[in-house]
Amino acid sequence: MKLSKDNSSEQAPIPQPDRQSALLLVDPQNDFFPGGAMGMSEGNNLISAINAYIKHFSRQGWSILTTRDWHAPNHCSFTEQGGPHPTHCVQGSRGAQFHSDLVMPPGMMVISKGTDAKKDSKSGFEGSSLADRLEDLDVKTVFVLGPAIEMAVKNTVIDACKLGLQVIVLTDTIGDGQHEQSTAKQALDEMTTAGALCAVASDLALPAS
Ligand code: ZN
């Protein structure tokens, strides 16, 4: 799915990434892609778009981080435990692995979340070391992408805005989160209301791959 940038005419210019920028992948795990426990209906075509961003940031030597949902088998968010979600992203399971077509750079920083069976992490910042890692790297701007737009991506973007980071959502890499496009649009609206900007590859002058 490609979300159009309806508000592009009102939007501020997209800042170009630099040494104080990071690419932040939010839960690019099998369970959130088609065929996964919480997978969207379409999304594998997003992989090449995601890989292009990874390549671009990697070549420039800019920071790349990824979060991962990393649950104990009895995690509180699972329906068996009375939670709202099917069992997903159990530590060490295939569903918790990064999508095999993603070309992850060596040494990429991996931030686990949702590791406490009694607590869920709706955002990459909740109960994780993400904020500290970004501060250590002196990151001021995050470019965010991931398959689950209405859940982890949205909540991570909103939290990043609250922390005072400049946030750019890469809309050509986000999935529909199992729902209709209208709910994805609503998620995007919530992110822009929180202060995030939206961009696509052409806004960042990515070289043709
Ligand atoms: Zn989860």
Side-chain angles (χ1 to χ4, degrees), residues 27-39:
D27 303 354
Q29 295 163 278
N30 285 323
D31 272 342
F32 297 115
F33 284 101
M38 293 174 70

Side-chain angles (χ1 to χ4, degrees), residues 59-119:
R59 272 187 181 160
Q60 303 290 338
W62 297 326
S63 301
I64 305 176
L65 304 89
T66 184
T67 64
R68 66 176 178 183
D69 225 11
W70 198 242
H71 296 318
N74 61 341
H75 190 255
C76 64
S77 73
F78 299 165
T79 45
E80 281 175 359
Q81 312 293 328
H85 303 311
T87 298
H88 65 281
C89 296
V90 173
Q91 294 168 14
S93 69
R94 189 185 173 282
Q97 288 171 10
F98 296 126
H99 194 289
S100 58
D101 292 337
L102 288 172
V103 183
M104 301 297 217
M108 184 183 55
M109 209 173 280
V110 178
I111 313 284
S112 298
K113 65 185 178 64
T115 52
D116 183 339
K118 295 188 181 66
K119 285 185 202 154

